[in-house]
Each structure stands twice: as structure tokens, then as C-alpha cells.
Amino acid sequence: MSSFAPRVFSGIKPSGDLHLGNYLGAIKRFVPLQETHACIYCVVDLHAITVWQDPQDLEKATHEVAAAYLAAGVDPEKHIIFNQSQVHQHAELAWIFNCVARMGWMQRMTQFKDKAGKNSQNVSLGLFAYPSLMAADILLYKATHVPVGEDQKQHLELTRDIAQKFNNDFAASISRNHLDGDFFPLSEPVITGPATRVLSLRDGTRKMSKSEASDMATIYMLDDADSIARKIRKAKSDPEPLPSEVAGLKGRLEAANLVGIYAALADISQQEVLDQFGGKGFGTFKPALAELAVDRLAPIAMEMRRYLAEPDMIEKILKEGADRARVMAEDTMKQVRKIVGFIS
Ligand code: TRP
């Protein structure tokens, strides 16, 4: 058994309008991992174009994700921030993985089924191959830990299946080339914290997203203090007071969502939120949550705007990050090309 250095990789699609789900489910959790791991945080623009993106909007959205990483506290000097398309090795390894992954595995992906819906004959081939590119992102850097939201768990399982099949299929070649028996690691998702799945503020059966019908359903990372507070005060809840135990949130989707958001923003557990607010109604809880959210989110929005006002600086950071990522990626690809039998 080989051992792999602890390394974190994660990515966010630049498809416009980052929201609280992106922040609590991903970006906020990227920050503390920097203390213990070498981290690579990617703006996955190749993934974004699996559905149509207006080119000018894509540029803007790429800046926005990079600005969010920076504003939240990712350190681009100690760690790496870059956009995926600047490191061609992602696309190259994804192609090889397209030849490792099986149709049946891909057809089981629930995110694809949800996104394609009844339209499955008319979505891009890229959307179908999406998880294979994601596996390439992670395995190019032999990342051991991948902080993601709950919804990405199945893609991580597929990533491990691809790694394992590659290690097996090419076992003889791997050893002929004097490389480790386990060439690729079996990367683990890191799905922790009270808000790995943030729900719509208007409908507790749906994920928070930028495509909600009502603008009041989604808190955007660039929202100003007034909008944040208004959306929370108007959020759907129920007439019951909050329970004093987490178990009491069962079946109360909207209440559980708001408690989860509070816990994640305050860096405490849901139980600690209920220790404080159990027995109190939403008339008390919502204003407290609104105040907390404004307190935690408004400064980040301000910092994001400061970065967004300097796109040249953002692009310089992305380019420097890409230069460093490329060295690591090429190191892996040199070996992969040999293992597969490509002459170079
Ligand atoms: N699929 C992820 C999402 O939609 C984004 C992503 C692409 C990603 N590549 C990744 C996440 C690699 C973690 C690691 O949220």
C-alpha cells in the first residue's frame, strides 16, 4: 500500500451568482483546511460550459468565484487558486478517464438525471461526461480529501471507482514503470458541518440555487445587508416554537434549514443553537439570524467587491496559481502517458 500526502482539492463552477449554499457548503469550509492540508481551489470553467454560458458572463463569473475564495480567506500564496482551463492537463486526463469509466456508471449519476430531465437527448455530451472531468481534477493532484456538499457524494464515489479501475487495469504497466502500486489515491469527500445542504428560503424541499423562481429564496454572496436581512425575515418557517433538541427538527424542513444556517454562520452545532433558542418562536429567532447573517456575510461581500474592482489583480492571481498547478499536473501526466503507453 502506498501512502499519499494529505492534499485537498475542490472546485466551484463559475456559472454566476454565488449564493449562501456555495458559501456555507463549500467556500467557508475551504478556509480552515488550509491549516492542516496543502489546498488547491479551482474555478472549474470547463465544467461550467457543460451548459451554455455566455462568454462575457463566464469571464465575470470566473472573477466572482476567485473573488469569493479570496474574500473568504483562501491564501493564494500558501495554497493555490486557479481556473481549470488554464491547465490543459485536466482535459487530457478527463479524456483518458472517459475511456476508463463505464457507460453504466455514468448513467447512474443522479445529478445528470436531474439536470437532463426529460431533455436527455438534447443536453451536451460534456454534461454526461462531467463526473469524469471532476475525477480528473481531483486525481491530477492525487488529492486525498475533497470538501464538497452532500450532493457531490456520488461523484466522489465515481472518482474512487475510476481511480481503482485505472490502478487495476494498468497494474502491470504501473509496476513496469516502477511506480507505486496504487497510482491514484481513493479520495475521500469531506462533508462536515451543519449546512452541507442549504435549502431554498421559500421551499424546504428544494436546494438553494440561483434558478429559484422567487428572488427571496436565495441569499447571494454579493447581496447587501438590507437584502440579506429582508430575505431572512421573510423566509418560510412554521408557527411552532423551536424545539430544544435536534431530533425535534425532524420533518420541519424550513426550521431545520434556518437552524443549520445559524449554526454554520456562528460556527456552533445545531444543538448549541437550540440550547439558545429552544422554546422561542421565529419572531425571536429570525431577527437574531438576520443580524448574524449580516454580520458574517456583509463584510465578505464588501471584500468581494473590492477584489472585483481590480480584475487585473484577480487574473494575475489565477495565472500564478495556474503556473504552479500546471507543474504538479504535468508531473502526474508524464507518468500517466507512460502508464497508458503513449509515446512522448
Ligand atoms: N461538481 C462540483 C459541483 O457542482 C464542482 C467540481 C468540479 C468539483 N470539479 C470538482 C468539486 C472537483 C470538488 C472537486 O459542486
Side-chain angles (χ1 to χ4, degrees), residues 9-13 44 47 84 111 130 133-134 137-138 146-148 151-152 155-156:
F9 184 99
S10 194
I12 294 182
K13 279 194 302 271
V44 290
H47 276 107
Q84 196 182 21
Q111 183 167 307
Y130 179 114
L133 176 60
M134 179 163 161
D137 297 342
I138 295 165
V146 185
V148 282
D151 62 329
Q152 295 300 309
H155 287 162
L156 261 295

Side-chain angles (χ1 to χ4, degrees), residues 13-18 43-46 48-49 52-68 83 85-86 307-308 310-312 314-315 318:
K13 279 194 302 271
S15 42
D17 292 332
L18 287 173
V43 186
V44 290
D45 47 9
L46 299 176
I49 64 161
W52 170 253
Q53 303 294 327
D54 178 90
Q56 284 175 335
D57 293 346
L58 180 59
E59 277 188 25
K60 247 183 65 193
T62 301
H63 290 162
E64 190 182 315
V65 176
N83 62 305
S85 62
Q86 289 204 60
Y307 280 111
L308 289 170
E310 295 187 73
D312 290 350
I314 294 180
E315 289 188 13
L318 290 174

Side-chain angles (χ1 to χ4, degrees), residues 8 23 26-37 39 41 68-75 79 147 300:
V8 163
Y23 178 62
I27 301 170
K28 183 172 190 291
R29 296 163 50 230
F30 292 176
V31 178
L33 287 165
Q34 297 180 110
E35 301 295 323
T36 47
H37 291 70
C39 300
Y41 295 126
Y69 287 166
L70 294 164
V74 175
D75 179 344
H79 301 273
I300 295 176

Side-chain angles (χ1 to χ4, degrees), residues 72-232:
V74 175
D75 179 344
E77 295 190 353
K78 292 206 187 98
H79 301 273
I80 294 181
I81 298 178
F82 75 108
N83 62 305
Q84 196 182 21
S85 62
Q86 289 204 60
V87 179
H88 302 162
Q89 287 82 351
H90 288 252
E92 186 183 359
L93 186 58
W95 177 259
I96 294 172
F97 286 170
N98 282 344
C99 303
V100 173
R102 306 290 90 184
M103 287 294 283
W105 301 0
M106 308 303 275
Q107 270 156 352
R108 280 197 288 278
M109 294 295 114
T110 55
Q111 183 167 307
F112 175 76
K113 288 192 270 190
D114 290 347
K115 284 200 174 177
K118 290 195 185 71
N119 202 22
S120 71
Q121 294 305 298
N122 206 27
V123 295
S124 74
L125 181 55
L127 190 69
F128 188 64
Y130 179 114
S132 157
L133 176 60
M134 179 163 161
D137 297 342
I138 295 165
L139 295 174
L140 205 41
Y141 305 96
K142 302 190 179 179
T144 51
H145 295 88
V146 185
V148 282
E150 193 64 45
D151 62 329
Q152 295 300 309
K153 217 170 155 176
Q154 197 187 27
H155 287 162
L156 261 295
E157 281 160 22
L158 184 91
T159 299
R160 286 198 296 278
D161 288 342
I162 290 178
Q164 196 145 38
K165 189 168 190 319
F166 184 97
N167 290 345
N168 288 339
D169 288 356
F170 293 102
S173 184
I174 289 169
S175 83
R176 237 188 344 266
N177 284 289
H178 311 291
L179 296 165
D180 269 328
D182 290 320
F183 183 73
F184 285 125
L186 304 183
S187 319
E188 291 291 336
V190 182
I191 302 175
T192 49
T196 51
R197 192 174 138 80
V198 178
L199 304 173
S200 156
L201 297 180
R202 305 298 314 165
D203 175 357
T205 65
R206 298 165 61 90
K207 250 189 16 166
M208 183 174 283
S209 83
K210 67 178 170 105
S211 40
E212 280 294 292
S214 159
D215 215 33
M216 295 298 284
T218 307
I219 294 177
Y220 294 103
M221 284 189 75
L222 284 167
D223 274 352
D224 58 27
D226 281 353
S227 323
I228 297 171
R230 183 158 37 88
K231 289 176 185 180
I232 288 176

Side-chain angles (χ1 to χ4, degrees), residues 285-312:
F285 182 62
K286 278 189 190 169
L289 176 57
E291 192 183 330
L292 174 68
V294 168
D295 183 64
R296 297 298 154 94
L297 299 173
I300 295 176
M302 237 164 67
E303 191 67 3
M304 275 178 77
R305 278 191 214 96
R306 203 175 61 78
Y307 280 111
L308 289 170
E310 295 187 73
D312 290 350

